[in-house]
Amino acid sequence: MLPSTRLKLASLLFGVFWALGMFWWSGAYSISNAALLAICGACAGCGWYWLMRGCIVRGRLPEH
C-alpha cells in the first residue's frame, strides 16, 4: 500500500471517528445534528490529511 493511500485511509477514519465521538458526546440525537457533525467530520478529516501531508513532505513538524 502506498504511503499516500495509508494517509487518505487514516484521515478518513479520523474524520469518521471524530464525528461519531462528537455525536455520542453531544447527547442530541437528531438528524440535523448528525448532518452537521458529518460535515464537520469531513472537514476534520480533510484538515488532518493536509496537515499530515505537509509534515510528511517536510519530514518534520512545523517550526514556530
Side-chain angles (χ1 to χ4, degrees), residues 11 14 40-54:
S11 26
F14 174 78
C40 291
C43 292
C46 289
W48 179 264
Y49 173 77
W50 287 108
L51 180 67
M52 291 297 113
R53 182 175 175 224

Side-chain angles (χ1 to χ4, degrees), residues 2-64:
L2 295 173
S4 62
T5 305
R6 287 192 308 232
L7 180 58
K8 289 174 186 174
L9 181 60
S11 26
L12 174 71
L13 290 175
F14 174 78
V16 167
F17 284 126
W18 184 88
L20 288 174
M22 290 296 112
F23 186 69
W24 175 74
W25 184 63
S26 72
Y29 304 120
S30 65
I31 298 294
S32 60
N33 190 32
L36 180 64
L37 287 174
I39 293 168
C40 291
C43 292
C46 289
W48 179 264
Y49 173 77
W50 287 108
L51 180 67
M52 291 297 113
R53 182 175 175 224
C55 291
I56 289 172
V57 168
R58 291 180 190 89
R60 58 182 167 73
L61 291 174
E63 295 180 15
H64 296 280

